[in-house]
Amino acid sequence: MTNNEMFKIALQQSAYDCNCDPDDFLREQNVVSLSKAHPKARKYIPLPLECDLVSYGNNIVAQVSERTKSAVSEYINKYPFYCCFETPNINALNDLLAPCDLKVCFMAEYYLPDVTKLKELDCGYELRVLQKAEFADLYSEQWEHCLTFDDRERDVLAVGAYDGDRLIGLAGCSADSDSMYQIGVDVLPEYRRRGVASAVTSKLALEILKLGKVPFYCAAWSNIKSARNAIKSGFRPAWVELTARDIGFVSELVK
């Protein structure tokens, strides 16, 4: 699978998620669409959303509700598109959404593999490809960033790094859509900074590609360690996303 093929698959997936056309992400002008559920959307997105902004680096595609359409349109057309994903402008968005009892909740950067950079990396420890039955007993707090606790059926494959018989690092992938599998990774604290994370991440990405699926990776902008791992593993930034949710939902998250 080429970089261009993966990029087109990601655009199509985002179009399913945002109720728009894939080409909308490549336009110079911003696009506003009414959010609605789609059977091919990423499984963990609680569609419809009232305010969700996505950019592949050209413009913003905003999916909205009828009641937020005017406010969100005003916001994304007031500032350069890349400034809409950062403070202080986000404060203005929160003010516009306040009458609807909404507040900015999630912000993340998403990565796709660069097949010219993606390769198996050696960390000095044994790597094992794990099928579903082989990681069924790993659903513990230690590996909460690698596996999907609320929908275990989505988890399809994992790669573990072992020091003897001890699992020291794990990358798992969830089938978040028909065509794209998301990677999560973690390493035991005493084994970090030894190349374990990039070794299991890159190995799992290659295994996902063998299945004919597109691996993708998500990190918060402030999570420098995770972003560095993505880049070291052969991934490159592809799109960014910002989502507002009900104020009550946000309050529960920050308790």
Side-chain angles (χ1 to χ4, degrees):
M1 195 179 301
T2 66
N3 287 344
N4 188 52
E5 287 170 336
M6 286 189 287
F7 183 68
K8 287 183 177 179
I9 290 172
L11 288 176
Q12 180 61 75
Q13 185 59 56
S14 291
Y16 293 143
D17 299 340
C18 297
N19 189 32
C20 66
D21 294 324
D23 288 345
D24 286 340
F25 298 99
L26 305 179
R27 302 186 192 283
E28 293 183 6
Q29 300 80 22
N30 294 324
V31 175
V32 177
S33 70
L34 289 177
S35 182
K36 67 178 184 179
H38 193 289
K40 292 187 178 181
R42 279 177 286 164
K43 294 179 175 62
Y44 59 87
I45 301 179
L47 295 172
L49 294 170
E50 296 211 75
C51 176
D52 181 67
L53 311 182
V54 176
S55 179
Y56 276 78
N58 301 287
N59 66 348
I60 293 174
V61 172
Q63 61 172 318
V64 299
S65 64
E66 287 285 4
R67 68 172 184 157
T68 61
K69 182 178 180 180
S70 177
V72 175
S73 298
E74 175 186 341
Y75 176 72
I76 65 174
N77 290 317
K78 184 175 182 179
Y79 307 105
F81 73 88
Y82 50 87
C83 293
C84 292
F85 294 86
E86 62 183 10
T87 55
N89 299 335
I90 287 175
N91 295 321
L93 178 59
N94 277 328
D95 290 341
L96 289 167
L97 294 175
C100 298
D101 291 326
L102 299 169
K103 182 180 289 187
V104 172
C105 184
F106 298 119
M107 300 165 58
E109 186 168 36
Y110 291 82
Y111 298 75
L112 291 173
D114 179 347
V115 294
T116 68
K117 304 294 183 182
L118 182 64
K119 61 182 180 180
E120 289 198 29
L121 300 173
D122 180 27
C123 63
Y125 297 97
E126 179 190 2
L127 301 184
R128 303 177 193 171
V129 178
L130 306 176
Q131 303 298 325
K132 186 179 283 285
E134 297 172 295
F135 59 77
D137 61 348
L138 297 181
Y139 287 87
S140 65
E141 184 177 352
Q142 176 60 60
W143 308 115
E144 63 180 344
H145 300 301
C146 313
L147 301 171
T148 310
F149 283 61
D150 59 345
D151 188 1
R152 298 186 183 189
E153 287 304 309
R154 294 213 315 265
D155 292 332
V156 294
L157 198 65
V159 171
Y162 290 83
D163 185 359
D165 291 328
R166 186 187 186 192
L167 178 65
I168 62 169
L170 183 70
C173 69
S174 56
D176 290 345
S177 73
D178 292 340
S179 59
M180 299 186 71
Y181 289 3
Q182 182 172 189
I183 293 176
V185 61
D186 207 347
V187 177
L188 296 182
E190 61 268 35
Y191 286 91
R192 292 172 184 168
R193 303 184 69 85
R194 303 187 192 182
V196 175
S198 57
V200 294
T201 301
S202 58
K203 176 68 172 175
L204 181 56
L206 290 166
E207 293 296 322
I208 294 170
L209 286 170
K210 289 179 184 178
L211 298 176
K213 309 296 183 180
V214 176
F216 73 103
Y217 187 105
C218 176
W221 286 296
S222 57
N223 194 339
I224 300 300
K225 290 192 294 185
S226 185
R228 285 175 176 165
N229 179 58
I231 292 170
K232 185 177 179 180
S233 301
F235 285 74
R236 295 294 180 266
W239 77 94
V240 294
E241 190 161 355
L242 177 153
T243 307
R245 297 289 297 274
D246 179 84
I247 287 175
F249 178 85
V250 178
S251 297
E252 283 296 316
L253 290 180
V254 298
K255 274 186 176 180

